[in-house]
Amino acid sequence: MSIADIEIKKFENGNCEEDKVFYQAMEEVIYSIAPLLESDDKYKKNAILERLVVPDRIFKFKVTWLDDDNNIQVNTGYRVQFNNALGPYKGGLRFHPSVNEGILKFLGFEQILKNALTGLPIGGAKGGSDFDPKGKSDFEVMKFCSAFMTELHKYIGPRVDIPAGDIGVGAREIGYLFGEYKKVTSSYEGVLTGKPFMFGGSLMRPEATGYGAVYFTETMLDMEGKESLEGKICTVSGAGNVALHAIEKLQQIGAIPVTCSDSKGTIHDSRGVDLDLLKELKLEKRVSLEEYVKVHPEARYIPVSEYPEDGHAVWDIPCYAAFPCATQNELNGFDAQNLIANGCISVTEGANMPSTPKAVNDFLSHKICFAPAKAANAGGVAVSEFEMSQNAAMARWSFDKVDERLKTTMQQICKRVALTAKDYGVEGNYVDGANIAGFKKVADAMIAEGI
Ligand code: NDP
Ligand code: 2IT
């Protein structure tokens, strides 16, 4: 039995249904870091793994609010403060009906290692609620955000824990959350990132995750001796913050993104996605992608119901590089086989853990350049940290300065990950490289800080 198998056995008992995604994230890390644990027994002596997989604390609270028909609504709110060895707790808030403690533990755990990879002084956290912003009026979203922050403000602070956005939480929600925080604490401070620019948000924070994923991919392709993305067909899933800005950056560098998707269906526009239309539909009107083909009847809309249950339409479309940017486990073994068969050479995870373990194994065994989420989508949280720096210094950085720093950060992460993989005998495996490099940084800090 390998060292990784032994470690995994220890955690198997607590593996309930809700914790499945958390367990999936943890298992990948444990297998990756086996060579590190074998190379130095200080990690075992200090019980780093046992300590790292248990959150420092989890807050769970009731959120009561009044809808537009004056009905009382009740949701559950959470904040998982996972690890602050490297800096204050940092990570997004997700508002989606599927949110539960297990999903937030998976996201918080990934966030620890992702934040470590940025090289910036930030720990890992995640939070959110089972509230569904879809179909709610602005006023209802505001009332929910106020009620959520009435409780959350007790646990956060600019030097304690700094939330940001994630699925269902963008500038609108962050604005309402900030307003309530200000009201209940009487203080005006950088307690949230992803704020609108007019009250302390960083330029380029909205673009950062998508742009960063493309910067990472360009560096990875260059290091692996592959052709660049220029002139190449790319497929992107999702139609939210990360997907829209990945598409935008791909277009800027001369690639041709031909797809996007939401929870109801996929758009395939072989001439290249109309980004202005997409932004109008998703950011302003907040409607289904089905509307896209009313303006562009030559594009194809494939509803989820018309595609076989074991796969997703986006990954059936031939491409040079794929960018899953929607949600966890959206790309499975069936999809991976489709991508590989159709000649895809590169997969970059814009979303958190969008590929199932089977898909990841298939990519690695077929020598696909595979950029795992905790490295490839770290641009969002990196620019969040830049926002914290600007707020603390009462400064404003220009768009170009943020962009330059984001690009450098993504290049450095990519190189560190590739180098670590090489050092531990798994050259070209960015999954192991990212897990080992991130874990080592946090673990060494935990050891230095004592128990
Ligand atoms: P958004 O809420 O802006 O967009 C999410 C998109 O994904 C929407 O198009 C949504 O479709 C789609 N989606 C959500 N759930 C599903 C599903 N079950 N099946 C198919 N499509 C789905 O979120 P973000 O773009 O911010 O986040 C996307 C991913 O990126 C998440 O995994 C998030 O954790 C990760 N991420 C986000 C960062 C950020 O800075 N925002 C930073 C790093 C990672 P619909 O509108 O129909 O629900
Ligand atoms: O998953 C992520 O990295 C985010 N949702 C962004 C976190 C942040 O604090 O900016």
Side-chain angles (χ1 to χ4, degrees):
M1 203 183 235
S2 75
I3 188 162
D5 290 325
I6 295 166
E7 295 298 338
I8 283 166
K9 274 256 162 289
K10 286 191 217 160
F11 304 113
E12 255 167 9
N13 290 338
N15 185 22
C16 65
E17 188 59 30
E18 251 193 29
D19 273 347
K20 260 191 168 164
V21 274
F22 174 47
Y23 192 78
Q24 180 186 333
M26 193 166 83
E27 192 168 82
E28 180 199 280
V29 172
I30 294 174
Y31 276 113
S32 283
I33 62 170
L36 178 72
L37 299 186
E38 274 156 30
S39 73
D40 194 331
D41 69 354
K42 70 178 176 182
Y43 300 111
K44 283 193 79 73
K45 266 195 192 148
N46 285 278
I48 294 301
L49 202 47
E50 287 83 347
R51 289 159 59 196
L52 192 67
V53 299
V54 181
D56 288 351
R57 60 195 71 79
I58 300 178
F59 300 106
K60 180 174 178 181
F61 48 90
K62 182 173 66 179
V63 186
T64 315
W65 55 284
L66 212 53
D67 70 18
D68 287 347
D69 298 324
N70 280 334
N71 293 315
I72 296 169
Q73 300 289 342
V74 183
N75 288 99
T76 306
Y78 306 86
R79 186 69 179 166
V80 179
Q81 295 182 337
F82 223 119
N83 183 289
N84 64 354
L86 293 173
Y89 301 107
K90 180 83 195 92
L93 296 171
R94 178 176 292 193
F95 291 169
H96 193 271
S98 65
V99 163
N100 59 38
E101 214 169 286
I103 288 185
L104 297 177
K105 281 197 309 195
F106 128 61
L107 290 164
F109 179 69
E110 291 282 289
Q111 198 83 43
I112 306 170
L113 303 186
K114 178 195 308 192
N115 293 3
L117 285 173
T118 64
L120 300 165
I122 38 180
K126 203 83 190 189
S129 174
D130 57 359
F131 170 75
D132 187 359
K134 244 184 250 166
K136 304 287 191 301
S137 69
D138 274 359
F139 208 58
E140 288 176 321
V141 170
M142 184 188 77
K143 283 188 286 184
F144 172 79
C145 288
S146 300
F148 182 83
M149 186 52 90
T150 304
E151 182 67 22
L152 184 71
H153 86 274
K154 299 169 190 167
Y155 319 120
I156 61 175
R159 306 242 166 233
V160 179
D161 182 354
I162 307 94
D166 193 81
I167 290 180
V169 179
R172 173 182 65 167
E173 289 74 17
I174 294 288
Y176 294 145
L177 291 164
F178 184 75
E180 182 67 17
Y181 180 87
K182 199 164 54 76
K183 194 162 85 189
V184 290
T185 62
S186 297
S187 69
Y188 201 104
E189 49 193 13
V191 69
L192 293 155
T193 59
K195 297 183 289 297
F197 178 72
M198 59 191 147
F199 46 88
S202 177
L203 287 174
M204 254 204 85
R205 176 62 188 88
E207 294 87 350
T209 313
Y211 280 23
V214 176
Y215 293 150
F216 189 98
T217 310
E218 285 183 302
T219 313
M220 173 176 73
L221 293 177
D222 185 43
M223 289 178 63
E224 299 301 317
K226 305 286 186 205
E227 282 178 36
S228 81
L229 295 168
E230 195 182 344
K232 301 290 197 303
I233 301 290
C234 297
T235 49
V236 178
S237 66
N241 172 278
V242 181
L244 291 178
H245 295 105
I247 290 172
E248 186 164 271
K249 183 48 73 179
L250 286 169
Q251 290 182 342
Q252 284 173 13
I253 63 168
I256 309 156
V258 295
T259 63
C260 59
S261 67
D262 63 16
S263 50
K264 304 246 163 45
T266 295
I267 288 289
H268 179 207
D269 191 337
S270 55
R271 302 151 314 155
V273 167
D274 178 347
L275 185 59
D276 288 339
L277 175 61
L278 207 54
K279 284 186 175 176
E280 185 190 322
L281 297 178
K282 283 299 174 182
L283 301 181
E284 289 165 33
K285 297 186 174 159
R286 298 178 191 266
V287 293
S288 158
L289 279 177
E290 205 170 353
E291 300 293 314
Y292 187 99
V293 284
K294 290 190 183 155
V295 181
H296 292 299
E298 62 288 5
R300 204 155 57 105
Y301 177 69
I302 310 145
V304 170
S305 56
E306 278 180 25
Y307 199 78
E309 240 173 58
D310 46 1
H312 303 85
V314 179
W315 314 125
D316 200 8
I317 290 157
C319 67
Y320 180 73
F323 294 81
C325 295
T327 193
Q328 64 271 6
N329 290 328
E330 55 157 313
L331 192 165
N332 60 27
F334 180 88
D335 300 319
Q337 289 304 328
N338 272 343
L339 283 166
I340 294 164
N342 285 331
C344 169
I345 66 112
S346 167
V347 177
T348 301
E349 296 192 316
N352 282 311
M353 204 171 75
S355 317
T356 63
K358 169 83 172 68
V360 176
N361 280 337
D362 287 351
F363 291 140
L364 294 178
S365 61
H366 284 82
K367 302 279 178 227
I368 304 293
C369 294
F370 179 71
K374 58 175 76 74
N377 74 27
V381 77
V383 174
S384 273
E385 198 275 347
F386 302 163
E387 185 170 324
M388 289 160 64
S389 296
Q390 293 171 73
N391 291 166
M394 309 275 269
R396 289 287 206 191
W397 297 1
S398 68
F399 192 92
D400 286 349
K401 177 169 173 172
V402 181
D403 193 28
E404 195 48 49
R405 292 211 179 182
L406 171 65
K407 197 180 270 179
T408 308
T409 304
M410 298 315 294
Q411 289 166 345
Q412 281 171 348
I413 297 173
C414 187
K415 286 175 188 157
R416 190 174 310 127
V417 165
L419 206 65
T420 306
K422 195 170 175 203
D423 284 349
Y424 285 86
V426 282
E427 194 168 357
N429 184 331
Y430 286 58
V431 175
D432 289 350
N435 287 329
I436 296 171
F439 178 88
K440 191 170 183 318
K441 192 135 206 274
V442 182
D444 290 344
M446 286 171 72
I447 293 169
E449 289 171 11
I451 54 172

